[in-house]
Amino acid sequence: MHVATPVVLSPMAGVTNWPFRVICESYGPDGLYVAEMITARALVARNPKALRLCRFAPGEKIRSLQLYGVNPAIVEQAAKIVIDENMADHVDLNFGCPVPKVTRRGGGSALPWKTDLFREIIQRVVKVCDAANVPVTAKIRVGIDHEHETFLEAGHIAQEEGCKAVTLHARTTAEYYGGHSDWSRIGELVGALDIPVFGNGDVWGANDALAMVSETGCAGVAIGRGCQGRPWLFADIKNAFAGSDERIDPALGDVCTVIERHAQLLTEFYDGDERMAVHDLRKHVAWYLKGFPVGGSTRRAFMECENLEDVRREIGKLDPDIRFPERVVDKPRGRVRFAKKVHLPYGWLESRETTHAERQALFGDDPMDASY
């Protein structure tokens, strides 16, 4: 699989469904745009929400899907569904999520600490996907905290077991989304592996992408919060990688055109349910409008919209000629808080391999318990 512009839309829960991916891809058609995390257990149980999140738009060039799970057997079953039903062209495995409800079950960025579990999940998924020539990649963090770093060992295991690339978010679980990610760790992983390494963390503008590649030698960049409300970042990065200084500087009217298109696509995603679509749009509108001097009353009005006509009405009240303030261009957006505490299963850090009791505690529940 060849990605002409080495830029990846990182999967983000509640954000990277196909309407948002389509908008991002329209600006950077040669990148890789990954669907939001699919819980393996929910997919195996045919949970309706999980199946909805597995949908791709007809025009998406590469159908890229991310799986999350803790039980190797369940993740393998989910991968088999993906392959047997031709759901995706690429499978990414989530070992980077720092959210407490994930890590307290041993998942996400907590999982690479248990090397046996980490290796087994990758082995099983790669075996299923290799048979269909579908590449598997892995997303990891530096570690649980700086006393429990895992990224170098995890990178080697991923490479040994057949992953085609690794993405490193250069923070620990404990750091969550706070401070600035330590790009030097990306450079360490690049030097340690033969497979491509993508860097993730604090790429807010095209110049950040150039700097990350220059400083670390990574094969490309993965964009998360940086594109929230700024899908044209992918065009800027494409231009930057091509050696062009051209950047998109949209006026508020241009942004409103994107907002309206996003609302329409979300309505398709929710099978015509405008209320669900507009409610989903609310967080995006907050990101789209961030930095523009439109006032709190305007933002509240968008939060109260219930259908497409409401959205169009509020758009019509805005001055399309307002420019985006220079002082907030390429500045951090989205979550920046630190986690107060890393939530892990009891006794998780006592050894690098799972005990029989730990596996019973992790996998002993009903495999069809697939709440989303």
Side-chain angles (χ1 to χ4, degrees):
M1 180 176 292
H2 179 68
V3 181
T5 302
V7 61
V8 178
L9 169 63
S10 288
M12 292 178 280
V15 177
T16 58
N17 50 31
W18 72 252
F20 185 66
R21 296 196 306 269
V22 164
I23 290 172
C24 291
E25 190 170 8
S26 70
Y27 287 99
D30 299 324
L32 182 67
Y33 299 86
V34 187
E36 63 179 284
M37 182 178 80
I38 308 297
T39 301
R41 187 182 294 278
L43 181 56
V44 169
R46 317 297 295 194
N47 177 286
K49 181 176 179 181
L51 294 174
R52 185 191 297 277
L53 294 177
C54 287
R55 293 182 191 171
F56 290 87
E60 291 186 80
K61 292 182 180 178
I62 300 174
R63 298 170 304 155
S64 183
L65 186 151
Q66 188 187 66
L67 290 176
Y68 151 73
V70 179
N71 185 333
I74 297 294
V75 182
E76 180 184 21
Q77 287 180 52
K80 195 168 188 311
I81 290 170
V82 170
I83 296 304
D84 290 349
E85 300 183 18
N86 188 27
M87 286 183 170
D89 307 308
H90 158 238
V91 170
D92 187 53
L93 293 173
N94 183 306
F95 302 111
C97 181
V99 175
K101 72 175 183 180
V102 170
T103 60
R104 68 164 50 101
R105 299 190 65 172
S109 56
L111 198 143
W113 179 255
K114 298 295 190 181
T115 54
D116 61 322
L117 201 53
F118 182 72
R119 185 182 294 274
E120 186 179 349
I121 288 174
I122 293 176
Q123 276 180 344
R124 287 183 181 233
V125 172
V126 167
K127 184 176 181 181
V128 168
C129 292
D130 269 1
N133 199 29
V134 170
V136 176
T137 59
K139 172 78 176 288
I140 61 176
R141 280 195 173 225
V142 171
I144 292 172
D145 53 38
H146 288 300
E147 285 69 51
H148 303 87
E149 294 186 353
T150 55
F151 73 107
L152 289 173
E153 188 171 25
H156 278 293
I157 291 172
Q159 178 173 278
E160 290 165 9
E161 299 304 334
C163 283
K164 305 302 183 186
V166 173
T167 298
L168 175 63
H169 185 147
R171 287 183 173 90
T172 64
T173 306
E175 289 171 319
Y176 209 56
Y177 295 100
H180 195 287
S181 57
D182 184 355
W183 291 358
S184 70
R185 316 318 293 275
I186 299 170
E188 286 183 56
L189 192 59
V190 169
L193 301 184
D194 297 321
I195 59 175
V197 174
F198 285 80
N200 179 223
D202 299 300
V203 176
W204 305 109
N207 290 340
D208 295 327
L210 290 175
M212 178 182 278
V213 172
S214 175
E215 290 179 24
T216 70
C218 62
V221 297
I223 311 298
R225 295 170 295 151
C227 67
Q228 291 175 349
R230 305 285 180 268
W232 45 86
L233 176 58
F234 292 97
D236 289 346
I237 291 175
K238 178 177 181 175
N239 290 338
F241 282 167
S244 168
D245 293 329
E246 182 181 353
R247 303 290 184 266
I248 293 180
D249 178 25
L252 184 54
D254 302 316
V255 175
C256 286
T257 298
V258 177
I259 291 174
E260 184 170 357
R261 184 183 181 214
H262 201 160
Q264 292 168 340
L265 293 176
L266 282 169
T267 302
E268 291 181 41
F269 177 75
Y270 287 110
D271 301 319
D273 189 328
E274 291 189 18
R275 186 172 182 274
M276 287 189 70
V278 171
H279 283 201
D280 192 330
L281 182 71
R282 289 174 177 176
K283 58 181 174 288
H284 291 279
V285 170
W287 294 326
Y288 282 125
L289 296 181
K290 186 169 183 178
F292 284 105
V294 297
S297 60
T298 296
R299 299 173 195 278
R300 285 192 297 273
F302 272 106
M303 296 306 108
E304 294 170 358
C305 290
E306 294 291 335
N307 53 51
L308 293 179
E309 189 55 41
D310 289 347
V311 173
R312 295 188 185 104
R313 182 191 66 239
E314 296 307 321
I315 286 174
K317 297 177 182 178
L318 298 175
D319 180 353
D321 297 322
I322 295 177
R323 307 303 304 184
F324 192 70
E326 182 66 28
R327 61 183 173 80
V328 292
V329 171
D330 296 349
K331 293 296 187 294
R333 293 181 290 277
R335 296 167 293 186
V336 295
R337 65 185 182 277
F338 286 86
K340 294 181 180 179
K341 176 183 177 183
V342 178
H343 296 262
L344 299 169
Y346 179 76
W348 192 250
L349 297 178
E350 291 177 4
S351 71
R352 296 301 307 273
E353 294 193 353
T354 51
T355 64
H356 177 72
E358 281 178 324
R359 290 206 169 208
Q360 284 293 104
L362 290 172
F363 312 150
D365 55 350
D366 177 8
M368 302 309 284
D369 173 20
S371 56
Y372 219 95

